[in-house]
Amino acid sequence: MAFSIVADFPLGTYRGRRPDGRVDRLPSPARLHAALLAAAAQGTRAELEGGRLRPRSADRDALRWLELHAPDALGLPDSLVNEGLTQAYRAEGFFGIREKRRVLASRSDPLGSVALAASIAWVWDEDPPPDIARALGSICADVSHLGAAESPVLLRVGEADATHRLDADANIFDGDGIEFDVPRAGRTEALERAHERAVGRVPATRTDGPGQAEAAVIAAAERASLIHARYVPVIPAPPDAPWPLVVLLPIDVTIRADRRVAWCVALHRALVGLIGDGAPTLVTGRYETGVPRPANRLAIQYVSSAIPAAPRRGTAGAFALLLPRDADPMDLATVERAVRSLTEVRRGGGARVRLDHPTDVMRGDAFWSPVLDGYERLWVTDPAAVPESRPVRGRSWTIGDAPLLSTALVFRDRFERRRSRSEWYAALVDGARAAGVEVLEAHKLNGPDGARYVHHVALENAIQPYRAALRLGLLAGDRTVLAIGQSRHLGGGLLTPLDLPAAAAARTASPEPAA
């Protein structure tokens, strides 16, 4: 889990004011920093200097670390803002004998608050140095309230799930999410200077009496060393999707089945070119010797609008970028920046496809439309899939075993690994059958164009594209996006829905697959 500072509100409410007097809906990273500074300067860890309490050196280092490291994510609960209807009044004006005192309404309702369904958290992907982490944990224990004094809080260092992530490319013209003030370098010193100006020198006794005119003094909020940062919602990863998130890039050109691999390869090369040196293995698929390889990496597929269950995103379809489970957030941010910069994809001969901006981020387990009542969903390869291995030695093997093996390899993290490859592949096929995967039909595609369905294949493996229809059993839900086979990461083997009346689907036998 990432390093987090968690705020628990015992009263279930947060109360704060924005600089313009409105109710603060949620505490910002800048407000967290200010609360920690106040605790460090006035709490049990403060040190006496020149007759005043000030933060100790270790705590200043911790506060400066916060200035240099904005939270990478936030954990924001459901909330309800109560703007309030009650006005507060106070007497202002001259205190002379004959002068009348004016009674004025306050600038804002003091009863406004925000009801919170759970704790609030600020999350960093990388842990701070141990001494900084210890200092932050100690300062948190001294924080009594966050926002107004009527908003008690218990701050702690712990673990939390992120609901919003920092959008490094946000601008004032587009995008969604929530904007917060974030401290930058020099914020601690700016707040200390503002405090000195507000407090000033301790007045002498003879000058500390009431004056003839008394007015409310409201200090302007200190805005030095602050920037705006936008945090966008995070879609939670569903438990059964190998690719939990899907980014759609709509296009207005229909791509033929035998050219989809080539176009997806071109899009992949464009992304790598935009990222440049140091492209993450999530994109390149190149891993150092001895580094464990995940079951899946970034996959690029073309989804035709002609598929009834496909999302309605483009006039002719869309490229779908499938983001794998357990991907590093920094790698995902790198991919997102490259995608936002991509406007077209080119191939040899001057062919090009123009891309729209990403229209949506969809859940991988809710990609296809729901199954209609009275129907059962089967799956067909679109276009073709390519086997990932030669026939397994020591057992009868047909083309119908290839989709079983390829489907199991997508979910291979769920199966116990065997020592030899033959034993491993045989165990995967048996495991897929045990999970209810059923191949209803499989046939080879014979002809000279088989190489169009692959990008790269091991020399010992023959290129034998096939089409198949199958049930997925318990391995995946009926709306999950999946691709199988050797080219599943670049345009091949996409499993598309085929919905049949339940009675007809029940009569669908499992024929002996063609050899």
Side-chain angles (χ1 to χ4, degrees):
M1 275 292 218
F3 177 82
S4 305
I5 294 179
V6 183
D8 301 315
F9 293 86
L11 302 182
T13 57
Y14 162 68
R15 305 179 70 176
R17 290 285 178 270
R18 298 179 58 83
D20 59 4
R22 293 179 299 164
V23 175
D24 189 17
R25 294 176 175 267
L26 291 167
S28 66
R31 190 179 286 275
L32 171 68
H33 172 272
L36 292 172
L37 172 58
Q42 299 176 345
T44 59
R45 292 172 58 83
E47 294 180 340
L48 190 64
E49 180 182 329
R52 291 189 177 180
L53 292 175
R54 301 184 187 277
R56 64 175 62 186
S57 176
D59 293 352
R60 286 187 181 277
D61 292 340
L63 294 168
R64 292 193 182 99
W65 185 88
L66 292 177
E67 296 173 354
L68 300 177
H69 299 83
D72 298 294
L74 304 176
L76 303 179
D78 292 336
S79 60
L80 180 64
V81 178
N82 172 26
E83 295 286 357
L85 300 175
T86 305
Q87 288 285 353
Y89 297 86
R90 61 164 294 173
E92 282 189 359
F94 291 95
F95 278 70
I97 299 176
R98 298 181 179 180
E99 291 81 3
K100 292 184 178 180
R101 300 172 66 184
R102 297 174 297 169
V103 179
L104 300 178
S106 67
R107 291 187 177 186
S108 58
D109 169 28
L111 299 181
S113 60
V114 181
L116 302 174
S119 303
I120 296 175
W122 299 264
V123 183
W124 288 264
D125 293 334
E126 296 185 6
D127 291 348
D131 55 335
I132 298 295
R134 286 193 297 270
L136 288 174
S138 298
I139 302 173
C140 285
D142 274 349
V143 175
S144 60
H145 59 278
L146 195 59
E150 303 93 332
S151 181
V153 71
L154 298 174
L155 277 188
R156 57 185 171 85
V157 171
E159 298 179 352
D161 294 325
T163 62
H164 293 68
R165 294 204 67 84
L166 177 64
D167 183 359
D169 297 323
N171 59 67
I172 62 175
F173 300 108
D174 56 26
D176 55 3
I178 306 176
E179 289 193 351
F180 289 103
D181 288 335
V182 175
R184 303 303 293 168
R187 179 62 176 171
T188 299
E189 288 75 12
L191 289 176
E192 287 184 314
R193 289 193 299 269
H195 178 72
E196 291 289 344
R197 289 194 300 268
V199 174
R201 294 183 178 180
V202 178
T205 304
R206 66 177 183 274
T207 61
D208 198 24
Q212 288 294 315
E214 293 286 342
V217 177
I218 301 177
E222 178 59 59
R223 303 295 298 169
S225 300
L226 285 179
I227 63 169
H228 288 296
R230 182 179 299 161
Y231 291 82
V232 296
V234 174
I235 301 177
D240 65 343
W243 291 278
L245 303 178
V246 183
V247 179
L248 290 177
L249 301 175
I251 60 176
D252 57 4
V253 177
T254 300
I255 298 180
R256 286 174 27 185
D258 60 345
R259 296 180 180 175
R260 291 178 188 172
V261 170
W263 276 108
C264 290
V265 169
L267 174 54
H268 179 262
R269 288 174 175 167
L271 287 176
V272 173
L274 283 171
I275 297 172
D277 294 338
T281 55
L282 164 76
V283 179
T284 63
R286 299 191 182 109
Y287 297 86
E288 296 292 337
T289 303
V291 175
R293 298 193 175 197
N296 307 287
R297 58 180 187 273
L298 172 70
I300 302 175
Q301 293 285 340
Y302 168 77
V303 181
S304 172
S305 61
I307 302 172
R312 304 291 96 190
R313 290 297 185 272
T315 56
F319 284 114
L321 274 62
L322 280 57
L323 305 178
R325 172 172 296 284
D326 298 329
D328 187 287
M330 298 181 67
D331 292 346
L332 293 179
T334 300
V335 173
E336 180 186 5
R337 286 193 292 270
V339 169
R340 290 184 181 275
S341 303
L342 195 61
T343 58
E344 66 177 13
V345 181
R346 299 183 181 183
R347 286 187 57 211
R352 66 178 61 187
V353 170
R354 301 193 68 84
L355 303 175
D356 285 344
H357 288 295
T359 58
D360 205 355
V361 179
M362 303 186 62
R363 289 182 54 152
D365 68 338
F367 183 77
W368 306 106
S369 63
V371 184
L372 297 177
D373 292 339
Y375 283 75
E376 180 184 347
R377 178 156 290 176
L378 308 179
W379 301 91
V380 294
T381 53
D382 180 37
V386 177
E388 294 170 277
S389 74
R390 303 175 64 184
V392 176
R393 295 179 181 178
R395 63 180 293 163
S396 175
W397 190 269
T398 69
I399 193 64
D401 291 308
L404 289 172
L405 174 59
S406 293
T407 304
L409 282 170
V410 174
F411 296 92
R412 67 190 187 198
D413 294 338
R414 301 187 184 183
F415 299 95
E416 182 181 357
R417 185 64 188 255
R418 301 296 177 87
R419 178 168 299 181
S420 71
R421 176 172 296 186
S422 295
E423 292 178 348
W424 172 229
Y425 284 174
L428 288 175
V429 171
D430 294 340
R433 284 199 178 101
V437 180
E438 186 178 1
V439 178
L440 305 175
E441 180 183 353
H443 61 271
K444 299 177 183 178
L445 296 182
N446 297 315
D449 298 331
R452 292 188 175 185
Y453 297 101
V454 297
H455 168 52
H456 174 76
V457 67
L459 295 178
E460 67 271 14
N461 293 343
I463 300 176
Q464 183 56 77
Y466 66 89
R467 287 197 173 122
L470 60 158
R471 292 186 175 97
L472 291 178
L474 301 177
L475 278 186
D478 55 20
R479 300 183 63 190
T480 301
V481 62
L482 289 178
I484 65 172
Q486 188 273 339
S487 297
R488 70 181 184 273
H489 293 115
L490 290 171
L494 180 67
L495 294 185
T496 57
L498 174 62
D499 294 346
L500 298 178
R507 292 195 301 269
T508 302
S510 300
E512 181 65 24

